[in-house]
Amino acid sequence: MERGSRESFTRMGTLGIEEECFVVDEDGRPTSGTDELVYEHEPPEILEGRLDHELFKFVIETQTPLIEEPGDARESLLAIREALIEHAQAHGYRIAAAGLHPLAKWRELEHAEKPRYRSQLDRIQYPQHRNTTAGVHVHVGVDDADKAVWIANELRWYVPIMLALSANSPYWNGFDTGLQSARAKIFEALPNTGMPTYFEDFEAFDRFERRMLETDSINDRGELWYDVRPHTAHGTVELRTPDGQADPEIVLAFVEYAHALVEALAEAYEDGTSGHRHRRELLDENKWRAIRYGQDASFIDRELEGTVGLGELVDRECERLGIDGIKRVYERESGADRQRRLLEDEGPDALCESLFLQDES
């Protein structure tokens, strides 16, 4: 049974970025290519040990090396993207990114043969068979296990902000869902997903993780797919909420925000600040608003006394944390709006072309 431990939490403020992307043909349509790119051809050196496939043979994942300083995140992310794009092109493929590929029809696509995924398909059945989702995961190092659990508890309220800003998946299985992030809703159909509950301390989280493994509820600790979690193997807090993005600037804005949030919450924890014990149902309501309305969402405020619009929250967060990336994301056309506009005005070819992964800022 794969497990981490309290001793994994040793370093504060390091970063890691995981991106799930789509393998597509020259026209940007989904195609099975992960066997070739992951197993049959040796990847560029920077991708060795940092390239894997997901459930479907058209979904591929990269991981950056450990990023010691936040200022190095841009260079690291762009280098990984450049290597992936070149690796794919060398073997006749291209790479695209969004929360869901708008033209992917899960019944027509191949599942991976990897034993881990075959086991999941057998256990979970329909919800996993249709899971064509792709997201961005940001790891931030934390130097104490109890602190990491406290931070993860607090981050639950911020998850909908990041999801609303990232909403980039209006289409699923070839139709318009009416949602801004259909990926988030599709993924929530799996067990052990969505908004996690409150954990009192690391011992409580560790006890939960152990019980899930011992009762065969999960095959390994990586199958706790919640929107935010302490990662007991890497010694990080992992935010898993954003939709996949073609533009690296959007990903880097979320990395900046996640890092600033974790650092600020770490200071609050060390100062003895009392945490919030929000009901998960209210946090779920905020997440639903992000899924449905994206950048037009308003949220139940942190003190649960009223509502606040996403724009006001973005301004407040940028001023409080001394960041500006999410402000730029908010001011541009949202991913979901852009996809709908391109499909209506220019057709599916233009839509697919807009999703090609970018490796320049």
Side-chain angles (χ1 to χ4, degrees), residues 183-191 193-195 227 284 287 291:
R183 177 202 62 86
K185 207 62 190 169
I186 296 297
F187 196 71
E188 279 185 349
L190 303 182
T193 57
M195 192 69 67
D227 292 328
D284 282 338
K287 185 182 177 186
I291 289 170

Side-chain angles (χ1 to χ4, degrees), residues 201-260:
D201 51 24
F202 181 77
E203 182 181 353
F205 183 83
D206 185 62
R207 188 166 55 246
F208 165 72
E209 183 181 282
R210 183 173 63 251
R211 184 167 293 127
M212 292 293 283
L213 286 162
E214 292 173 348
T215 58
D216 296 322
S217 301
I218 55 176
N219 289 328
D220 59 71
R221 56 126 346 263
E223 292 181 356
L224 298 177
W225 295 307
Y226 299 107
D227 292 328
V228 58
R229 65 185 183 185
H231 198 296
T232 58
H234 295 329
T236 63
V237 171
E238 181 185 9
L239 277 157
R240 301 169 45 84
T241 192
D243 279 1
Q245 306 290 330
D247 188 339
E249 286 298 328
I250 300 177
V251 174
L252 290 166
F254 298 144
V255 172
E256 178 190 47
Y257 186 34
H259 186 269

Side-chain angles (χ1 to χ4, degrees), residues 31-43:
T31 188
S32 295
T34 55
D35 283 353
E36 289 183 64
L37 297 180
V38 176
Y39 299 118
E40 296 175 14
H41 300 288
E42 188 172 330

Side-chain angles (χ1 to χ4, degrees), residues 77-349:
L77 179 70
L78 294 180
I80 289 287
R81 283 181 166 224
E82 180 181 15
L84 177 60
I85 291 168
E86 291 178 355
H87 183 48
Q89 288 179 337
H91 302 290
Y93 299 104
R94 298 194 71 172
I95 303 296
L100 294 164
H101 193 288
L103 301 188
K105 296 185 177 180
W106 65 268
R107 289 182 179 87
E108 301 171 2
L109 296 164
E110 293 183 280
H111 291 118
E113 279 101 26
K114 191 175 183 179
R116 182 173 190 258
Y117 293 122
R118 305 313 298 187
S119 174
Q120 289 174 7
L121 288 166
D122 182 62
R123 186 176 83 248
I124 300 171
Q125 290 294 314
Y126 171 70
Q128 186 71 323
H129 277 267
R130 67 174 191 165
N131 180 24
T132 57
T133 61
V136 175
H137 306 157
V138 181
H139 290 261
V140 185
V142 180
D143 58 3
D144 175 82
D146 289 318
K147 185 193 299 184
V149 171
W150 190 90
I151 290 170
N153 285 336
E154 292 297 295
L155 282 173
R156 296 180 305 154
W157 187 82
Y158 298 93
V159 160
I161 300 174
M162 200 171 290
L163 177 58
L165 288 167
S166 77
N168 189 29
S169 52
Y171 299 107
W172 180 71
N173 213 38
F175 71 92
D176 191 331
T177 64
L179 307 176
Q180 308 302 299
S181 177
R183 177 202 62 86
K185 207 62 190 169
I186 296 297
F187 196 71
E188 279 185 349
L190 303 182
N192 313 309
T193 57
M195 192 69 67
T197 192
Y198 175 94
F199 289 95
E200 289 78 8
D201 51 24
F202 181 77
E203 182 181 353
F205 183 83
D206 185 62
R207 188 166 55 246
F208 165 72
E209 183 181 282
R210 183 173 63 251
R211 184 167 293 127
M212 292 293 283
L213 286 162
E214 292 173 348
T215 58
D216 296 322
S217 301
I218 55 176
N219 289 328
D220 59 71
R221 56 126 346 263
E223 292 181 356
L224 298 177
W225 295 307
Y226 299 107
D227 292 328
V228 58
R229 65 185 183 185
H231 198 296
T232 58
H234 295 329
T236 63
V237 171
E238 181 185 9
L239 277 157
R240 301 169 45 84
T241 192
D243 279 1
Q245 306 290 330
D247 188 339
E249 286 298 328
I250 300 177
V251 174
L252 290 166
F254 298 144
V255 172
E256 178 190 47
Y257 186 34
H259 186 269
L261 277 172
V262 171
E263 290 281 1
L265 288 169
E267 290 183 14
Y269 174 84
E270 291 160 7
D271 290 342
T273 304
S274 297
H276 295 75
R277 300 193 63 156
H278 292 131
R279 289 192 64 93
R280 186 171 60 184
E281 294 88 345
L282 292 171
L283 299 172
D284 282 338
E285 170 61 20
N286 275 351
K287 185 182 177 186
W288 163 247
R289 292 174 181 220
I291 289 170
R292 174 64 182 87
Y293 300 109
Q295 291 196 6
D296 293 327
S298 63
F299 300 110
I300 301 169
D301 69 28
R302 200 163 180 229
E303 304 308 319
L304 311 182
E305 294 179 351
T307 60
V308 57
L310 179 62
E312 182 179 341
L313 277 175
V314 167
D315 287 340
R316 186 189 302 171
E317 290 293 273
C318 287
E319 182 176 354
R320 179 175 73 91
L321 298 171
I323 61 175
D324 59 11
I326 58 171
K327 176 70 170 176
R328 293 194 299 271
V329 173
Y330 179 73
E331 290 174 344
R332 63 192 290 175
E333 183 180 32
S334 76
D337 287 346
R338 184 168 184 250
Q339 285 196 39
R340 289 187 169 109
R341 175 179 58 79
L342 284 170
L343 184 60
E344 181 177 352
D345 294 349
E346 302 181 41
D349 289 344

